[in-house]
Amino acid sequence: MVMENSRRQSLLPSFLYSPTCSFTPKTTNVQPSSFLIPAPSEPGKIEMYSPQFYAACTFGGILSCGLTHMAVTPLDLVKCNMQIDPAKYKSISSGFGVLLKEQGARGFFRGWVPTLLGYSAQGACKFGFYEFFKKYYSDLAGAENAVKYKTLIYLAGSASAEVIADIALCPFEAVKVRVQTQPGFARGLSDGMPKFVRAEGTMGLYKGLVPLWGRQIPYTMMKFASFETIVELIYKHAVPKPKNECSKPTQLGISFAGGYIAGVFCAIVSHPADNLVSFLNNAKGATVGDAVKKMGVLGLFTRGLPLRIVMIGTLTGAQWGIYDAFKVFVGLPTTGGAPPVAPADSEVAKV
């Protein structure tokens, strides 16, 4: 066990296992203020809601969002161009054909750097602050109401986290869309960001923030609330034994399945705003009214939707799989599962 903990810690950033942090179990009797179950306070373990816990969730969010969004850059590239120029990019298959013919295979990953950095920053804030706000709102509600209104807490926690996450993402998203939809504008982030700022000023990087909130906040609320609910239902109705008796691969498979299903719903509710973000970041001085006039209301809801469902479903499933895999790796339980109950102070999470 000692060797296992030492090997695991050696692979992790030092801030997750600070030697100055104490993991001594608390002996005082404190009334539980949250329905969430604390993790073991054993040496080498990360205590729930400690600074190390939130640091681990933040780091897991960086991995889950940054890597997955970078991996689907080709799909995102075709999707953005279908939204901006549907006459040229008529379908998924023809869109890939046009890009391959005009830009070659390397063109499929144009804009991968702002994608990686932007969504890594967003993922850090999204997952880290979601865990924080979920605990915070649970404490405000009290143990009984936290159980009764758990879905509202999931929604409020995820919305609060996404407001912060999008502020981190917005400048990178603006440059990414411009690089991907205007060939010749820039090669990537290093020359695209300065060129964008010279043309539209620093605040121009944030002109798409409100539509980005309009896209991402409903997306994230659906992503977290539906995931938590779907995973709970899977364990309740589809798995013949309790979560703590399931193997880790089984739990991670359920995380991926729940994330994929949640991602389909996410794509549908956030798609109109996604079209707006792409339109505004592509055209200098464009407004929301211009976008509605050019694309039409129906176009806002449907243009590029099938591709986005495939992309976001896969993306969301992979994000939850990577996030929970990292949590398991550092000794934390996977997200969701059993209906929440107010624990006694001595109860610990079962990993």
Side-chain angles (χ1 to χ4, degrees), residues 4 25 36 53 65 91 109 121 138 150 195 205 209-211 227 261 265-266 271-272 277 286 304 313 328 334 347:
E4 174 69 17
L36 297 169
F53 167 76
C65 291
S91 66
F109 281 90
S138 298
K150 61 182 185 293
K195 188 173 183 179
L205 294 169
L209 180 59
V210 173
F227 172 82
I261 297 169
F265 295 121
C266 292
H271 193 64
V277 170
V328 167
T334 58
E347 288 185 308

Side-chain angles (χ1 to χ4, degrees), residues 227 231 250-260 316-317 320-321 324 334-335:
F227 172 82
V231 168
T250 298
Q251 292 184 33
L252 294 176
I254 291 172
S255 292
F256 176 81
Y260 196 99
T316 307
W320 279 114
D324 275 349
T334 58
T335 309

Side-chain angles (χ1 to χ4, degrees), residues 146-307:
V147 175
K148 186 176 181 180
Y149 300 109
K150 61 182 185 293
T151 301
L152 291 179
I153 288 173
Y154 300 150
L155 292 170
S158 57
S160 300
E162 191 59 37
V163 169
I164 300 170
D166 288 344
I167 295 173
L169 169 65
C170 195
F172 298 97
E173 181 76 358
V175 176
K176 176 189 79 75
V177 171
R178 189 67 61 87
V179 168
Q180 291 181 335
T181 58
Q182 292 187 13
F185 172 75
R187 292 171 308 195
L189 181 67
S190 60
D191 58 337
M193 180 78 77
K195 188 173 183 179
F196 195 110
V197 171
R198 286 196 300 270
E200 302 191 34
T202 302
M203 293 309 298
L205 294 169
Y206 287 92
K207 72 176 183 179
L209 180 59
V210 173
L212 188 62
W213 277 333
R215 180 186 81 184
Q216 290 297 130
I217 291 176
Y219 164 85
T220 301
M221 292 171 71
M222 181 66 74
K223 173 179 180 175
F224 283 90
S226 62
F227 172 82
E228 299 258 17
T229 302
I230 290 166
V231 168
E232 182 179 324
L233 291 174
I234 290 175
Y235 281 111
K236 184 176 181 180
H237 298 291
V239 178
K241 53 186 177 182
K243 175 185 175 180
N244 57 8
E245 295 179 11
C246 294
S247 67
K248 290 298 182 288
T250 298
Q251 292 184 33
L252 294 176
I254 291 172
S255 292
F256 176 81
Y260 196 99
I261 297 169
V264 173
F265 295 121
C266 292
I268 294 171
V269 301
S270 63
H271 193 64
D274 183 63
N275 274 319
L276 285 176
V277 170
S278 294
F279 185 90
L280 292 176
N281 285 327
N282 180 68
K284 181 178 180 180
T287 65
V288 173
D290 295 332
V292 174
K293 183 177 180 180
K294 183 173 182 178
M295 301 177 69
V297 175
L298 183 62
L300 284 175
F301 281 87
T302 60
R303 184 178 293 179
L305 180 59
L307 178 57

Side-chain angles (χ1 to χ4, degrees), residues 86-122:
K88 183 177 181 180
Y89 299 88
K90 297 179 181 180
S91 66
I92 298 173
S93 58
S94 68
F96 277 108
V98 170
L99 286 174
L100 183 62
K101 182 179 179 180
E102 293 186 352
Q103 302 177 36
R106 293 182 60 183
F108 288 134
F109 281 90
R110 195 170 73 250
W112 72 270
V113 174
T115 297
L116 174 62
L117 296 181
Y119 283 95
S120 292
Q122 187 214 36

Side-chain angles (χ1 to χ4, degrees), residues 69-79 96 99 108-109 307:
H69 276 277
M70 184 185 69
V72 298
T73 296
L75 284 173
D76 187 44
L77 187 61
V78 173
K79 184 264 299 180
F96 277 108
L99 286 174
F108 288 134
F109 281 90
L307 178 57

